[in-house]
């Protein structure tokens, strides 16, 4: 009995550390998934990569920050079927030693695209999507990873399948594009964007948000823009409003074109977060 | 009676000394292109002392490195660093790698140098003081210092962070060095560095 207890203890330790070590060697596991088992022509379908990140590790958002590498997911669809842009849930911000900022995901993250263009002629058959993913996972060290797989979805005339809960939750965590928010949409928001001002050739942008109700906690994450280095200067808030001030450094004169976008994340007193993508035109601003 | 010229020289000497002292303690991470490269003294992988001032009047390339970083491993596997160093060593450029990885020691730097048969030194900055002073963010992160001691380029090796365009990527470091030898200003003086974060101590 004693030997049995000893043996089972040793086995448990081997399994625990063995599995733990094995997972640490592969800190990220990815599943290629669809939001439903079957699709009808013209119906909704989403395909994506579900990342499971080991504790203490992270993978990166579209803008990885001061270091890192954006996670990459490529979806190849059958002929005639269109893959929409990759959707990125609101990331977390983390600060690494050396005051190095990073943006990304810990635990689980689903990056996915909407699919369209499923033809009536495909009814009764199956659609096969080839998906590839590559990423950089970091903790105290960094490991590059990649994987690929197929997602197969049936095509039926009418579909009543449930949507996967992973996709439902991921959709709730997607940022909203503020430019697409018309007057009726803005009426429903708990805040309003008051104004924006631009200063200097290395643009200093001041933005003000006014609370309609209870104040919220604001965080700011820049979208990537080639040859533009954004730096958050300050977020100052009071019970009635918040000011977000950031500076853009242009590493190449030609970079002063198009729009710069940033994710404004608002967290209420219950810890609920909502993110808005705000865009700021660059080319119309004066240069010194 | 102390001669006026001696006093003048003494005052001038103090001013110069204070200026150098202040360079060493420039505000961390605030360095930009055009700034004087801060002086430092570090030991190499064999414990020999190396001072940046040893290379006064020469073009110096500082390469922040970490043998554990997959981006560094890729550049060494493809020979980016070695090829560049060899090409410009003939023109008198000094190449120094700096390891600011907090959990490493000179032994790991030496092993990496030997495994990759590197002709240049890997300096030990495991406390991260010089890394933070320069604002080194990633491994790799490159700084090119001209003959006058000014930073003329800082940023990435090239425009290919994912390593998908080997052979057709644009090498910013080579372009900066070529500009110096052609007595032209460096066109792309600053780029966003890519790689693993420098593993500074907490």
């Amino acid at each position: 009995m004693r030997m049995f207890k000893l043996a089972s203890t040793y086995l448990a330790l081997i399994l625990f550390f063995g599995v733990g070590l094995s997972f640490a060697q592969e800190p990220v596991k990815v599943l290629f998934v669809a939001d439903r088992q079957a699709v009808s022509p013209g119906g909704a379908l989403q395909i994506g990569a579900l990342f499971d990140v080991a504790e203490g590790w992270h993978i990166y958002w579209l803008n990885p920050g001061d270091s890192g590498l954006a996670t990459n997911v490529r979806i190849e669809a059958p002929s005639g079927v269109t893959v929409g842009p990759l959707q990125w849930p609101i990331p977390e911000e983390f600060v690494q030693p050396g005051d190095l900022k990073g943006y990304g995901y810990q635990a689980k993250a689903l990056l996915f695209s909407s699919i369209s263009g499923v033809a009536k002629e495909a009814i009764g058959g199956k659609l096969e999507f080839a998906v590839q993913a590559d990423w950089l996972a970091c903790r105290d060290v960094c490991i590059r990873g990649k994987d690929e797989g197929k997602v197969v979805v049936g095509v039926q005339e009418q579909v009543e399948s449930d949507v996967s809960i992973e996709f439902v939750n991921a959709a709730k965590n997607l940022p909203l594009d503020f430019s697409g928010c018309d007057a009726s949409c803005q009426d429903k928001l708990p805040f309003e964007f008051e104004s924006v001002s631009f200063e200097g050739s290395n643009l200093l942008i001041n933005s003000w948000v006014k609370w309609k109700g209870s104040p919220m906690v604001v965080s700011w994450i820049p979208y990537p823009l080639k040859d533009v280095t954004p730096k958050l200067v300050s977020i100052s808030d009071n019970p009635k409003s918040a000011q977000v001030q950031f500076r853009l450094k242009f590493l190449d004169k030609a970079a002063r074109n198009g729009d710069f976008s940033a994710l404004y994340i608002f967290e209420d007193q219950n810890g609920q977060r909502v993110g808005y993508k705000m865009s700021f035109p660059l080319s119309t601003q004066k240069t010194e | 009676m102390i001669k006026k010229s001696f006093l003048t020289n003494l005052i001038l000497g103090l001013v110069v000394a204070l200026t150098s002292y202040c360079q060493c303690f420039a505000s961390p991470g605030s360095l930009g292109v055009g700034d004087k490269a801060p002086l430092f003294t570090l030991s190499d992988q064999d414990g020999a002392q190396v001072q940046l001032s040893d290379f006064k009047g020469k073009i110096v390339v500082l390469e922040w490195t970490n043998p554990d970083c997959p981006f560094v491993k890729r550049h060494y596997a493809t020979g980016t660093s070695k090829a560049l160093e060899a090409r410009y060593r003939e023109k008198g450029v000094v190449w120094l790698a700096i390891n600011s990885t907090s959990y490493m020691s000179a032994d790991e730097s030496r092993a990496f140098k030997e495994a990759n048969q590197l002709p240049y030194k890997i300096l030990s900055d495991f406390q991260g003081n010089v890394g933070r002073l320069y604002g080194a963010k990633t491994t790799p992160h490159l700084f090119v210092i001209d003959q006058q001691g000014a930073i003329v380029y800082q940023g990435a090796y090239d425009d290919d962070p994912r390593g998908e365009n080997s052979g057709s990527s644009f090498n910013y470091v080579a372009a900066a060095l070529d500009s110096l030898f052609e007595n032209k200003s460096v066109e792309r003086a600053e780029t966003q560095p890519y790689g693993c974060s420098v593993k500074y101590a907490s």
Side-chain angles (χ1 to χ4, degrees):
Chain A
M1 188 63 185
R2 190 178 164 205
M3 284 303 294
F4 176 78
K5 279 186 183 174
L6 212 55
S8 57
T9 304
Y10 281 134
L11 184 63
L13 283 170
I14 289 166
L15 281 173
F16 176 79
F17 286 108
V19 169
L21 279 171
S22 167
F23 202 33
Q25 298 289 323
E26 295 179 11
V28 175
K29 298 207 188 297
V30 62
L31 283 176
F32 301 111
V33 292
D35 68 338
R36 63 202 73 209
Q37 292 180 335
V39 63
S40 59
L45 174 66
Q46 292 171 329
I47 301 285
L50 178 62
F51 295 89
D52 191 349
V53 184
E55 191 176 342
W57 294 78
H58 54 260
I59 59 174
Y60 292 92
W61 184 57
L62 187 57
N63 175 11
D66 288 328
S67 61
L69 189 71
T71 303
N72 193 19
V73 176
R74 283 182 299 273
I75 302 170
E76 287 174 29
S79 175
V81 177
T82 304
V83 179
L86 195 65
Q87 302 297 310
W88 298 80
I90 297 168
E92 299 164 61
E93 179 180 325
F94 36 85
V95 182
Q96 296 152 116
D99 199 28
L100 298 173
K101 284 195 176 168
Y103 312 113
Y105 307 102
Q106 303 177 73
K108 280 194 176 180
L110 174 62
L111 306 185
F112 62 95
S113 290
S114 292
I115 307 297
S116 59
V118 176
K120 286 180 185 172
E121 292 72 27
I123 292 173
K126 294 188 179 189
L127 295 174
E128 186 174 285
F129 298 86
V131 191
Q132 299 169 321
D134 66 272
W135 61 86
L136 181 74
C138 295
R139 191 180 60 183
D140 46 354
V141 293
C142 293
I143 300 175
R144 275 195 83 169
K146 61 181 180 179
D147 202 355
E148 59 184 47
K150 294 194 192 307
V151 180
V152 179
V153 177
V155 183
Q156 299 171 3
E157 193 164 353
Q158 284 184 341
V159 172
E160 290 180 11
S161 62
D162 292 334
V163 175
S164 156
I165 190 67
E166 298 284 2
F167 282 83
V168 171
N169 290 339
K172 289 178 187 171
N173 201 28
L174 288 179
L176 303 168
D177 194 334
F178 192 76
S179 63
C181 194
D182 60 14
S184 63
C185 162
Q186 291 186 35
D187 278 344
K188 296 172 191 165
L189 298 179
F191 58 87
E192 58 181 89
F193 269 98
E194 259 198 323
S195 59
V196 175
S197 69
F198 299 80
E199 294 174 33
S201 55
N202 265 344
L203 283 184
L204 178 67
I205 299 179
N206 299 289
S207 57
W208 286 266
V209 179
K210 188 171 146 184
W211 311 125
K212 290 180 187 172
S214 304
M216 304 176 90
V217 174
V218 185
S219 47
W220 179 92
I221 296 180
Y223 278 81
L225 189 58
K226 194 173 187 296
D227 293 328
V228 177
T229 300
K231 186 178 171 63
L232 179 67
V233 175
S234 65
I235 297 179
S236 49
D237 53 17
N238 60 60
K240 291 189 177 176
S241 65
Q243 181 194 19
V244 179
Q245 194 178 60
F246 58 95
R247 190 178 294 281
L248 301 182
K249 184 177 179 183
F250 298 94
L251 305 182
D252 186 351
K253 288 174 196 172
R256 199 172 172 131
N257 240 323
D259 292 352
F260 170 78
S261 299
L263 188 53
Y264 284 64
I265 303 170
F266 301 94
E267 185 174 332
D268 67 17
Q269 292 162 342
N270 299 318
Q272 296 294 314
R273 296 197 313 162
V274 61
Y276 285 89
K277 180 181 177 183
M278 288 291 297
S279 296
F280 304 88
L282 299 178
S283 56
T284 54
Q285 303 314 313
K286 271 196 233 174
T287 53
E288 288 177 0
Chain B
M1 186 173 159
I2 299 169
K3 287 189 179 174
K4 213 174 187 179
S5 59
F6 174 77
L7 277 174
T8 308
N9 288 338
L10 181 63
I11 289 165
L12 279 172
L14 279 171
V15 168
V16 169
L18 277 171
T19 307
S20 302
Y21 180 89
C22 289
Q23 275 186 340
C24 294
F25 291 87
S27 171
S30 65
L31 281 183
V33 168
D35 288 342
K36 283 289 186 195
L39 301 177
F40 58 79
T41 302
L42 293 172
S43 300
D44 72 7
Q45 69 288 333
D46 298 319
Q49 215 173 57
V50 174
Q51 299 184 79
L52 184 61
S53 58
D54 293 342
F55 311 106
K56 189 178 174 183
K58 290 183 183 276
I59 295 171
V60 178
V61 176
L62 303 181
E63 174 199 349
W64 257 265
T65 194
N66 171 358
D68 277 348
C69 171
F71 295 87
V72 170
K73 287 179 183 176
R74 170 166 66 83
H75 279 295
Y76 278 88
T78 54
T80 311
S81 313
K82 280 180 71 174
L84 264 183
E85 189 275 338
R87 180 170 144 198
Y88 291 98
R89 186 187 336 131
E90 294 171 6
K91 298 186 176 185
V93 172
V94 174
W95 198 286
L96 298 170
I98 300 182
N99 190 349
S100 299
T101 312
S102 61
Y103 61 81
M104 284 200 175
S105 68
D107 288 342
E108 276 118 327
S109 293
R110 190 183 316 113
F112 185 70
K113 181 175 164 22
E114 285 169 3
N116 289 279
Q117 297 176 311
L118 301 181
Y120 48 87
K121 298 174 184 292
I122 303 179
L123 306 185
S124 302
D125 179 42
F126 307 121
Q127 297 297 312
N129 293 326
V130 178
R132 289 173 200 261
L133 188 59
Y134 274 74
K137 293 182 179 177
T138 59
T139 52
H141 190 159
L142 287 301
F143 293 79
V144 177
I145 303 166
D146 71 5
Q147 296 97 324
Q148 287 72 46
I151 296 170
V152 295
Y153 174 78
Q154 70 113 330
Y157 254 123
D158 57 29
D159 60 355
D160 185 22
R162 305 196 89 91
E164 292 168 342
N165 304 318
S166 56
S168 62
S169 61
F170 182 83
N171 193 296
Y172 297 120
V173 178
L177 292 171
D178 288 342
S179 293
L180 287 178
F181 286 113
E182 292 165 14
N183 288 318
K184 294 177 184 170
S185 58
V186 178
E187 197 174 320
R188 287 306 311 271
E190 187 169 355
T191 59
Q192 283 155 326
Y194 66 76
C196 311
S197 60
V198 174
K199 303 304 180 198
Y200 292 111
S202 300

